[in-house]
Amino acid sequence: MELHGQNFIGSQLSRGTGATLRATSPLTQQPLEPAFFSAGDAEVAAALEAAESAFAMYRGTPGEQRAAFLEKIADEIVAIGDDLIARAREETGLPEARLTGERARTVNQLRMFAGVAREGSWVDARIDPALPDRKPAPRPDLRRMLVPIGPVVVFGSSNFPLAFSVAGGDTASALATGNPVVVKAHSGHPGTSELVAAAVRRAVAASSLPAGVFSMLHGPGKIIGMALVRHPLTRAVGFTGSRAAGRALFDAAAARPDPIPVFAEMSSLNPVFILPGILRENARAVAEGLCGSITLGVGQFCTKPGLVFGLQGPAFDEFQRQLALRLEAVAPATMLHAGICESYHAGLARARAVDGVAPLARSGREPEAARTEGEPVLLRTDAANFRAHPELAAEVFGPFALLIAAGALAELEQIADGLEGQLTAAIHGTPEDLRDARPLVRRLERRAGRLIVNGFPTGVEVCPAMNHGGPYPATTDVRFTSVGTAALLRFVRPLCYQDFPGALLPDALKDENPLKLRRLVNGTPWAGGGP
């Protein structure tokens, strides 16, 4: 498909007013055609004004209409065919099989949220009818539900060009709940973004929705991203990326005259605690699984395990040997772009320079392209040194892990107390190990959004029970997730109606319950029917 490089502002295309940009292929290190036109302040304003105008109608659309719209987006993405996979591979270097799987995840997310919109109980309707005879004071009629928040700005992510990008989970959860979306395309894969944006736009037209329901802009994050966050019509932000960028957006949103919520998924080291019993029984299997998790996708997953803790002794020594052998056998591979690769090697250099840190393993092959390939690396230190050097707890985004040996389980508990917030934390152990590790589990409950036993954090299941979030700096708001159906809670707000006549109430709160929703009435769950 021919790309035009323009910005999508509702049903209109714009060449913008900023400088042009081109993607550079990490596979060839050559710039790709075409040039993409950066938006300016005028395009930012036009996109958000169109979104605000569309919100007046879109917020009230029936769940069935929004569901059909999301399903149409999924169909349009599938209809792009191999062109989408080919362009994404050119721009990101990700293997075809990985991208094909990610497209399936993206489409399935859209269909999952379509089901949520169609069923409708996400509004969490709560009804407490009036009690006019209650003493000493009557109770008014109170009815509460969740409503869409308004235009949402979504930032495309570099490491998931489909599933966390233009039509990814942030966009799907915002659209499902009646919010227009303005996407800031990631500059690393603008062509992929355009192909998906065109699919969304076709779905908007086919669904007879106002054009401002969706827009997408190109441009530098520090300029266009900040302008989108600061614009007075923006009501919420979804972001996946670096800690520095996420915090900058969060601070900008908080500094507005009217602060708005920012859900930024940022930094996580996803610590893994491996207890002695499991290593005595099966060090090889644990080493093999951990190696695969560290190197999956060249370590470019937000859930990559970066810290591995264990107890000193022969079992941990054998585990280190087994893990080192496996990492040495993994070849360097292409990273998403030169900037990520450079940051990876800079992070390795900082970790290696810390006193008391020793090399344990490195890929047996040198990178063929130093600017775009990342080689697996394993370093080690002891618990006392780790605690003495907080810089060792900084994320290194790529196929790297640091092994830390402690003298006793109590020392691991102290380390857990000192960790920053994480997306995940994992514990490996036998039933006996795990009984002894209950205090460690209690500590990790305060540090992570997902706890794992005898498994690895990569491979985030997209389902209602998933939590992909965590305490700062894993995210800017520990209460929410960016994966699973609960992700929609980021882009809604509660609204209570007091003493409203039935004719003025939303259908979700009417006595006759025309939508047949699951509701909470007088504090009691009620499925279907009236109150």
Side-chain angles (χ1 to χ4, degrees):
M1 294 184 179
E2 186 174 348
L3 300 173
H4 52 66
Q6 298 187 66
N7 299 280
F8 291 76
I9 302 176
S11 61
Q12 305 298 311
L13 297 177
S14 171
R15 289 178 174 263
T17 55
T20 59
L21 60 91
R22 276 185 170 82
T24 298
S25 174
L27 299 170
T28 64
Q29 301 182 55
Q30 297 299 313
L32 298 171
E33 295 293 340
F36 291 81
F37 299 93
S38 294
D41 289 344
E43 285 73 31
V44 168
L48 283 161
E49 287 164 7
E52 178 66 19
S53 177
F55 183 52
M57 177 270 192
Y58 188 57
R59 68 190 294 266
T61 51
E64 176 58 42
Q65 186 177 4
R66 293 198 299 276
F69 171 41
L70 291 170
E71 290 165 345
K72 182 61 175 173
I73 296 174
D75 292 342
E76 290 289 348
I77 290 172
V78 171
I80 301 170
D82 293 342
D83 287 345
L84 179 61
I85 303 302
R87 180 68 189 200
R89 174 151 174 72
E90 275 191 307
E91 291 185 328
T92 66
L94 294 171
E96 181 179 331
R98 152 71 195 277
L99 290 166
T100 301
E102 189 180 331
R103 177 176 60 187
R105 172 179 171 172
T106 304
V107 166
N108 290 339
Q109 283 179 157
L110 287 160
R111 291 177 176 152
M112 177 184 73
F113 278 108
V116 171
R118 180 174 284 116
E119 193 277 331
S121 293
W122 65 267
V123 299
D124 189 26
R126 297 163 181 246
I127 299 174
D128 288 301
L131 298 175
D133 298 327
R134 188 183 68 174
K135 303 298 182 183
R139 183 177 77 184
D141 185 275
L142 296 168
R143 302 177 185 232
R144 177 190 188 271
M145 64 183 288
L146 299 177
V147 298
I149 199 167
V152 173
V153 168
V154 170
F155 286 78
S157 172
S158 65
N159 59 336
F160 279 89
L162 300 173
F164 276 88
S165 194
V166 175
D170 290 352
T171 297
S173 54
L175 292 175
T177 48
N179 301 286
V181 170
V182 178
V183 172
K184 209 298 279 182
H186 195 280
S187 57
H189 49 261
T192 305
S193 298
E194 181 180 314
L195 290 173
V196 177
V200 179
R201 182 175 162 184
R202 290 191 294 271
V204 171
S207 303
S208 300
L209 292 170
V213 162
F214 174 81
S215 296
M216 187 191 78
L217 305 179
H218 296 288
K222 291 181 179 180
I223 300 173
I224 298 305
M226 284 296 184
L228 286 166
V229 171
R230 289 170 175 151
H231 195 280
L233 294 178
T234 299
R235 294 291 92 201
V237 176
F239 170 86
T240 300
S242 72
R243 181 169 175 173
R247 183 57 195 254
L249 296 175
F250 179 81
D251 289 346
R256 290 169 44 129
D258 57 336
I260 57 172
V262 173
F263 184 88
E265 182 201 318
M266 302 177 293
S267 175
S268 185
L269 287 92
N270 307 296
V272 178
F273 293 81
I274 305 177
L275 304 177
I278 196 74
L279 293 183
R280 287 192 295 268
E281 289 187 3
N282 212 348
R284 287 189 178 186
V286 177
E288 185 173 349
L290 184 58
C291 176
S293 192
I294 292 168
T295 60
L296 183 67
V298 206
Q300 297 170 115
F301 285 86
C302 49
T303 52
K304 181 215 70 175
L307 298 175
V308 182
F309 298 93
L311 298 181
Q312 295 170 354
F316 194 61
D317 291 342
E318 175 60 16
F319 164 72
Q320 289 182 95
R321 189 181 73 84
Q322 293 286 343
L323 181 58
L325 286 172
R326 283 159 177 76
L327 279 168
E328 287 167 354
V330 179
T334 302
M335 301 190 79
L336 291 162
H337 54 75
I340 281 181
C341 192
E342 290 166 6
S343 294
Y344 173 59
H345 287 106
L348 288 179
R350 287 192 295 271
R352 287 179 174 129
V354 176
D355 289 342
V357 172
L360 186 60
R362 185 175 184 272
S363 173
R365 284 175 44 191
E366 289 293 325
E368 294 180 5
R371 291 193 66 246
T372 56
E373 284 195 343
E375 70 279 15
V377 173
L378 189 64
L379 303 179
R380 64 182 175 187
T381 192
D382 59 46
N385 197 55
F386 177 78
R387 293 171 65 192
H389 292 279
E391 63 268 33
L392 291 175
E395 183 181 27
V396 179
F397 193 68
F400 161 76
L402 176 67
L403 264 62
I404 303 103
L409 190 57
E411 194 169 16
L412 294 183
E413 294 167 9
Q414 291 174 338
I415 287 173
D417 278 336
L419 291 174
E420 291 187 316
Q422 308 291 330
L423 292 172
T424 75
I427 300 177
H428 287 254
T430 63
E432 293 77 15
D433 284 330
L434 297 174
R435 281 196 294 271
D436 293 340
R438 284 175 180 168
L440 176 60
V441 172
R442 298 287 87 81
R443 286 164 167 79
L444 292 176
E445 285 174 343
R446 299 189 64 185
R447 294 290 177 264
R450 177 164 57 108
L451 298 182
I452 303 158
V453 168
N454 292 335
F456 301 98
T458 44
V460 177
E461 184 70 25
V462 181
C463 65
M466 175 51 65
N467 186 63
H468 190 62
Y472 184 87
T475 68
T476 50
D477 197 326
V478 69
R479 297 170 296 170
F480 300 113
T481 175
S482 61
V483 176
T485 54
L488 64 80
L489 294 172
R490 297 171 298 165
F491 306 129
V492 295
R493 66 179 180 89
L495 178 60
C496 182
Y497 296 82
Q498 181 170 326
D499 288 334
F500 261 56
L504 285 181
L505 285 168
D507 285 349
L509 297 178
K510 289 180 177 177
D511 283 348
E512 59 270 27
N513 195 7
L515 302 179
K516 300 296 185 288
L517 302 180
R518 297 189 303 273
R519 308 193 296 187
L520 193 70
V521 180
N522 275 323
T524 302
W526 190 279

